[in-house]
Amino acid sequence: MTITYTLRDRPGFSETQFDDVVEYRGKSKPASSKKTRISGVDTLQSPTKAALKPTGSTSSATVAPPPTRFRWRGSGLLFFTTSRWQLLGYGPASTAGPAWAVTYFEKTLFTPEGLDLYARHRDGVGEDQVKEIKRALAEVGGNVGKLADKLFEVERS
């Protein structure tokens, strides 16, 4: 699976947006088959946007979204589909492994809430680094902390 984000250069628009393209091939598909492609647009949710429940919070209070929260809207046949996600952390490439990022996404019509760990290398993030990331996520507490143990590696081919 690959995910490609491309900053939208839109002079005169104040919203920060990215084109978001996910490409993957099902496990049962031959390597020569065409990948499935899901496209959408991610819009950075500024503090002036509608208030949201804090990530992982059980409180009924609402607050302005953090500066790393995005709203995704599908393109094409998925134009009616939306989801909200948030960048929780990232690390640069180092001797410990490739650059990585962790996101939290809210429940949608099609998926339960969850966490994703992305790596900028086809071999993924090393086992020790994954353990450290899971430990840090567990310390966040709330829904994020509960989901930390459920992180699993997606089979690569």
Side-chain angles (χ1 to χ4, degrees):
M1 174 187 329
T2 59
I3 301 173
T4 305
Y5 295 103
T6 306
L7 181 62
R8 291 180 136 200
D9 184 18
R10 301 177 339 136
F13 287 85
S14 61
E15 289 184 319
T16 300
Q17 292 186 319
F18 294 88
D19 288 318
D20 177 331
V21 178
V22 177
E23 295 180 301
Y24 66 94
R25 187 178 293 113
K27 285 172 49 171
S28 62
K29 302 279 186 177
S32 60
S33 67
K34 186 176 179 181
K35 291 182 178 179
T36 298
R37 182 181 177 115
I38 299 173
S39 299
V41 176
D42 295 294
T43 302
L44 181 64
Q45 301 296 281
S46 69
T48 59
K49 294 288 181 184
L52 301 171
K53 217 172 166 184
T55 299
S57 172
T58 56
S59 166
S60 61
T62 58
V63 296
T68 60
R69 180 160 267 198
F70 292 84
R71 181 172 180 263
W72 178 85
R73 177 172 291 283
S75 298
L77 294 175
L78 294 176
F79 76 94
F80 63 90
T81 309
T82 63
S83 69
R84 294 189 296 188
W85 63 274
Q86 180 180 342
L87 177 67
L88 295 180
Y90 64 94
S94 69
T95 56
W100 57 270
V102 176
T103 61
Y104 164 81
F105 53 92
E106 294 180 0
K107 177 183 174 182
T108 70
L109 197 59
F110 303 107
T111 60
E113 73 176 335
L115 298 172
D116 282 332
L117 171 58
Y118 302 99
R120 289 200 79 166
H121 192 277
R122 67 180 306 122
D123 293 334
V125 177
E127 188 177 329
D128 289 341
Q129 199 167 16
V130 170
K131 286 179 185 175
E132 179 61 23
I133 292 167
K134 281 183 169 184
R135 183 198 59 72
L137 289 168
E139 289 179 3
V140 170
N143 292 353
V144 170
K146 291 175 189 172
L147 293 167
D149 244 7
K150 296 180 182 182
L151 268 179
F152 64 93
E153 189 169 355
V154 174
E155 187 176 316
R156 293 182 293 271
S157 59

